[in-house]
Amino acid sequence: MLAALFDDIKYLLRARNNVVAMWPKSYYRKEFITVRYPTRQMFIVNSPAGVQHVMVSNDKNYRKSPVNSQTLKPLLGNGLFVSNGELWARQRKVASPSTHGSRLPDYAATIIACGEEMIAELRAAPEGQVVDVTEPFTLVTAEIISQLMFGYPLKERGQVMYEAFKEYSASHGRVHIFEFLGLPTWLPRPGGWRGRRAVKRFDSVLLDFLKAGRTRDPQASPTLLEMLIQYRDPQGQPMAPNLIRDEMASIFLAGHETTALTLGWAFYSLSQHPEAEKRVHEEIDRVVGDRPIRFEDVPQLTYSRAVVDETLRLYPPVHIFSREAIEDDEICGNRVPAGSYITIASWLLHRHEKYWEEPKAFRPERFLPPEVQKVQQFAYIPFGTGSRVCMGKHLGLLEATLLFAMVAQSFRLRVPEGAVIEPLGRMTLRPTPGMSLRIERRR
Ligand code: HEM
């Protein structure tokens, strides 16, 4: 008994370093796995039926768990990504119109303008230069989310945010063992001061925008920031400034790093699959050619979009979902006591041997007709599903497809000979030691 417990703790310590590297081979076949913690049990739900149960049909019984939230709370406070219950429901309702489909054509114009600036900067680098593309991809997606959601450009403040987030990830990027052990949240976690310094730097930008408030064109559709500022509850009270700040931090974070990582992994995958790269280039040359890309091109960029979909399958930026059971429940015939932690690992599910043919192969074709019909709804959840599904799903897909096509129109990105890039499962799925790619011009 003690030896088994010891093994589980060793496993958890390894998991902190790189969650995706330590999943045992058998987990890619299993549908329900039990891991014992000293204070409670954790269940890994690893089947479409289980995902549907936890995230859709009985989602009221599952809240975001401290395992995940504690790493994010110092930065996101009570923001949408981590909040629960009535607060979450209200905030989601207030914020949702900012990502409504009707706004996408306007948003595309901003995405394209910011993308063009990034391309111009990449063009300025000498031919064949090796660049860690995580930085330009993160800076461009941060610029886009700031302009779209707050109505303000980040410009040089983008670098401040980028560095601050890097510092935050270094101190809080790994789930703390205290969370796995179920220790109370009031116990201080080591490394907190670095995280606090990063949050201060982050806030120096967000609070500037919040103070500047509504200096924009009153005729324009309101930004998310304006919606939050204008909100009044049934008693006529405005939203607390702290909560507005938390929502700004949440949307900023949820809305840019994920898209940047997707782009990096998409070009990494293309460089490993020349056939797919050829098809992408043929499609872009046929649909867009040498002219600037337009929103109207997106429906015709079907193969490029399939590359994005397949990248999100093999490298889902949010590779793990953590929930806590509120009441006793049963998931696919397994008893789940109240208080248990539930993990849904999209990394495992997206590579599950039962639900995918050649699960490890990069084959964008699986997301094109007729094959796409074989994709099971709850076996593919890069944006989550159910009530907590990503609020920016359609925006994220539009942005990833447009930026992907723009970069592929201009450049071919190559993994330098001998370099090894691997996925590192932390708060998000990052490339390690980075996504350094050689940039060759196509036109
Ligand atoms: C490729 C890009 C993106 C990916 C892969 C992604 C993925 C996800 C996932 C998996 C979740 C659910 C987490 C959970 O259930 O625990 C989520 C939530 C969320 N995402 Fe995204 N996201 C992306 C882009 C965006 C964008 C562009 C925005 C901004 C507008 C955004 C805003 C949010 C918000 C606010 C939530 C929390 C929703 C809630 O809990 O109600 N995301 N995202």
Side-chain angles (χ1 to χ4, degrees):
M1 173 71 185
L2 251 183
L5 191 64
F6 198 60
D7 277 351
D8 281 343
I9 292 178
K10 270 202 308 206
Y11 160 94
L12 293 172
L13 286 168
R14 275 210 318 274
R16 282 186 73 227
N17 256 340
N18 185 0
V19 183
V20 298
M22 63 83 213
W23 293 124
K25 277 198 182 118
S26 62
Y27 284 20
Y28 295 86
R29 291 187 290 276
K30 290 188 178 167
E31 302 197 299
F32 193 89
I33 301 142
T34 305
V35 181
R36 289 172 306 270
Y37 285 173
T39 56
R40 65 182 89 201
Q41 284 180 305
M42 177 181 80
F43 301 105
I44 302 176
V45 174
N46 202 25
S47 68
V51 168
Q52 182 172 17
H53 181 88
V54 172
M55 296 178 109
V56 185
S57 37
N58 202 23
D59 65 336
K60 297 239 167 347
N61 192 45
Y62 295 93
R63 61 179 164 225
K64 294 253 175 160
S65 92
V67 171
N68 189 263
S69 306
Q70 281 311 119
T71 55
L72 291 167
K73 264 200 175 261
L75 185 61
L76 307 186
N78 278 323
L80 261 179
F81 204 86
V82 287
S83 59
N84 283 305
E86 280 176 23
L87 174 67
W88 165 78
R90 184 190 86 173
Q91 295 298 97
R92 173 101 188 194
K93 205 165 152 202
V94 176
S96 284
S98 66
T99 53
H100 191 265
S102 58
R103 304 196 67 164
L104 295 184
D106 281 349
Y107 286 176
T110 304
I111 295 168
I112 294 168
C114 295
E116 276 167 0
E117 279 185 31
M118 173 187 63
I119 303 264
E121 277 167 33
L122 290 177
R123 262 186 204 290
E127 170 70 9
Q129 174 141 345
V130 174
V131 172
D132 186 342
V133 292
T134 310
E135 182 161 338
F137 289 168
T138 308
L139 290 176
V140 72
T141 53
E143 184 60 52
I144 291 168
I145 205 72
S146 176
Q147 291 193 22
L148 297 184
M149 297 294 140
F150 311 145
Y152 295 101
L154 274 178
K155 297 257 158 60
E156 60 289 348
R157 289 174 290 211
Q159 200 69 39
V160 176
M161 299 295 257
Y162 180 67
E163 298 300 332
F165 185 60
K166 259 192 2 199
E167 185 176 25
Y168 185 82
S169 306
S171 63
H172 285 71
R174 291 190 253 191
V175 174
H176 202 275
I177 194 73
F178 285 18
E179 264 63 73
F180 280 129
L181 298 176
L183 297 184
T185 50
W186 49 260
L187 269 178
R189 270 64 175 160
W193 67 271
R194 269 184 84 191
R196 279 193 293 279
R197 190 173 65 185
V199 172
K200 264 196 182 154
R201 291 166 76 193
F202 216 73
D203 280 0
S204 67
V205 176
L206 293 183
L207 297 180
D208 262 3
F209 291 164
L210 180 53
K211 267 189 244 140
R214 270 169 291 177
T215 49
R216 293 171 65 257
D217 172 9
Q219 303 302 317
S221 308
T223 60
L224 171 74
L225 176 57
E226 288 167 323
M227 290 174 192
L228 298 171
I229 293 174
Q230 284 158 16
Y231 171 80
R232 294 292 176 273
D233 71 12
Q235 285 73 45
Q237 293 305 307
M239 201 176 282
N242 276 352
L243 189 54
I244 298 185
R245 177 260 163 228
D246 291 350
E247 296 305 1
M248 290 174 79
S250 304
I251 212 84
F252 180 78
L253 204 68
H256 85 284
E257 202 219 352
T258 41
T259 318
L261 290 169
T262 308
L263 287 172
W265 286 116
F267 284 104
Y268 167 82
S269 304
L270 274 201
S271 78
Q272 309 298 297
H273 298 88
E275 272 309 301
E277 185 182 60
K278 199 164 151 239
R279 278 193 74 175
V280 165
H281 290 160
E282 276 168 9
E283 178 176 271
I284 292 169
D285 293 350
R286 176 171 45 79
V287 175
V288 192
D290 286 331
R291 66 165 168 77
I293 200 165
R294 299 191 286 249
F295 174 66
E296 294 71 26
D297 294 327
V298 174
Q300 293 178 68
L301 296 172
T302 48
Y303 193 78
S304 301
R305 167 61 197 271
V307 168
V308 170
D309 291 337
E310 179 70 336
T311 303
L312 286 167
R313 181 183 73 86
L314 282 173
Y315 304 102
V318 180
H319 58 98
I320 205 156
F321 300 74
S322 306
R323 301 288 193 264
E324 183 180 9
I326 299 170
E327 307 274 348
D328 289 354
D329 194 14
E330 197 180 294
I331 304 176
C332 302
N334 301 284
R335 212 182 75 75
V336 170
S340 311
Y341 288 159
I342 305 294
T343 289
I344 294 173
S346 45
W347 171 276
L348 287 176
L349 201 61
H350 289 181
R351 292 165 179 249
H352 202 290
E353 290 169 15
K354 191 165 166 197
Y355 303 110
W356 300 93
E357 281 168 23
E358 295 185 86
K360 287 188 192 152
F362 177 81
R363 282 203 313 108
E365 292 72 17
R366 66 174 98 236
F367 286 98
L368 292 173
E371 259 197 84
V372 65
Q373 282 168 10
K374 289 197 233 158
V375 176
Q376 291 197 37
Q377 192 185 1
F378 299 106
Y380 181 63
I381 51 164
F383 294 94
T385 183
S387 54
R388 304 287 311 231
V389 70
C390 172
M391 202 184 85
K393 176 178 174 178
H394 300 293
L395 171 60
L397 280 170
L398 172 70
E399 188 178 340
T401 310
L402 279 171
L403 292 175
F404 172 75
M406 290 175 80
V407 175
Q409 183 187 30
S410 297
F411 308 106
R412 188 177 275 112
L413 272 50
R414 288 264 163 277
V415 176
E417 210 165 306
V420 178
I421 298 173
E422 282 178 342
L424 178 69
R426 293 274 170 90
M427 229 155 34
T428 45
L429 192 72
R430 311 236 170 89
T432 180
M435 189 55 85
S436 291
L437 302 177
R438 202 174 57 242
I439 306 209
E440 299 168 0
R441 277 191 204 115
R442 287 194 62 228
R443 39 166 65 85

